[in-house]
Amino acid sequence: MKRWFCFYLTLICLGAAAQKRGSAYSRYLAEQTSPYLLSQKLTAGLPSEREKVLSIISWITDNIAYNTGILYAIPRKAPIVYPKLTSSEPDTLTPLNDYVAENVLRRRVAVCDGYARLFASLCYHAGIRAELVTGYVRTDRNRAETRFRSNHTWNAVRIDSTWHLLDATWASGYVTYGSNQYVTYYNPRYLLTPPAEFIKDHYPEDLRWTLLPAAPALPEFALVPFRY
């Protein structure tokens, strides 16, 4: 009986120690501001590129909130022009992505460009290629517009030699209509989405990032029923 009691007490102690280590690890990730170190922790021990990408995007959706301050600063009927930093060469994108990613990790808030660059930076440090995609998305704010204007940034990521599309911003949550309150809501519809589905509300400036054999013309895209 005494041996069983000692064994039971040992299990309790081991469980408490594991819980403490788990809390410390979670706190370490929550406080991390280095894209390199965060990427290494999030992908350590994961055997496949897909698992690494899902680990990265899961952390982003759990820990980064949308910066609604930009919405309050803009009149309701005015089109939103999101901050965008562009470069055409991957080698010059990487330091810029890291710079933006560090700022996002310190503040824990971002708009679409920050979400996309954080994802690209974490992928880069995990040895996975990810690209920024800029283009037009349909929202409640611009559904009446007929003229194309770039207003959003998302990503294309290469997994096992195949490109996939994802929108870390829209996968993380949404902003309430009228009150502009951000609500965390994990939405897998915008993670590794089939191109034929993704094109329904995301139209890239560079049509190759539709990942479709024949990209729809802009008027055709505009006629697709709006879903909010």
Side-chain angles (χ1 to χ4, degrees):
M1 178 66 71
K2 186 175 181 180
R3 287 198 303 271
W4 279 109
F5 176 76
C6 291
F7 178 70
Y8 179 69
L9 186 61
T10 300
L11 288 179
I12 293 177
C13 293
L14 288 174
Q19 185 176 9
K20 185 176 181 180
R21 286 196 300 273
S23 298
Y25 179 73
S26 298
R27 187 166 58 253
Y28 170 83
L29 292 181
E31 296 173 353
Q32 187 55 252
T33 59
S34 164
Y36 170 76
L37 293 177
L38 179 59
S39 177
Q40 295 302 298
K41 287 292 184 180
L42 291 175
T43 61
L46 297 179
S48 71
E49 291 183 340
R50 185 182 183 88
E51 288 174 285
K52 291 178 181 180
V53 167
L54 292 177
S55 176
I56 288 171
I57 196 65
S58 177
W59 188 91
I60 292 175
T61 58
D62 285 345
N63 292 275
I64 306 300
Y66 191 82
N67 185 1
T68 57
I70 190 174
L71 300 178
Y72 286 110
I74 300 174
R76 184 63 189 172
K77 293 184 179 180
I80 297 176
V81 180
Y82 293 95
K84 182 178 67 173
L85 300 172
T86 60
S87 177
S88 58
E89 297 296 328
D91 288 342
T92 60
L93 269 177
T94 301
L96 179 57
N97 286 346
D98 280 351
Y99 175 78
V100 175
E102 289 171 4
N103 279 280
V104 171
L105 291 176
R106 280 196 295 269
R107 300 175 62 197
R108 287 297 192 268
V109 296
V111 291
C112 56
D113 187 79
Y115 275 97
R117 289 186 184 279
L118 174 60
F119 175 78
S121 175
L122 295 177
C123 283
Y124 172 80
H125 291 298
I128 297 170
R129 185 177 174 186
E131 297 287 340
L132 266 68
V133 182
T134 58
Y136 175 79
V137 293
R138 305 177 71 190
T139 70
D140 67 296
R141 287 175 174 267
N142 60 16
R143 62 178 180 267
E145 294 181 12
T146 57
R147 186 169 68 88
F148 177 92
R149 69 174 77 230
S150 290
N151 61 358
H152 197 55
T153 308
W154 58 94
N155 294 98
V157 61
R158 189 177 174 90
I159 301 175
D160 298 328
S161 302
T162 302
W163 285 100
H164 300 267
L165 298 168
L166 63 88
D167 186 339
T169 310
W170 285 20
S172 298
Y174 61 90
V175 178
T176 57
Y177 186 84
S179 61
N180 288 337
Q181 297 297 314
Y182 177 74
V183 178
T184 300
Y185 178 79
Y186 176 72
N187 190 345
R189 177 174 180 262
Y190 296 104
L191 301 179
L192 310 184
T193 313
E197 183 71 16
F198 204 76
I199 192 61
K200 291 180 179 179
D201 42 34
H202 289 68
Y203 195 90
E205 289 180 336
D206 186 343
L207 294 184
R208 63 178 171 152
W209 291 121
T210 63
L211 302 185
L212 294 170
L218 184 57
E220 181 182 347
F221 170 79
L223 291 174
V224 173
F226 175 77
R227 179 171 64 180
Y228 175 59

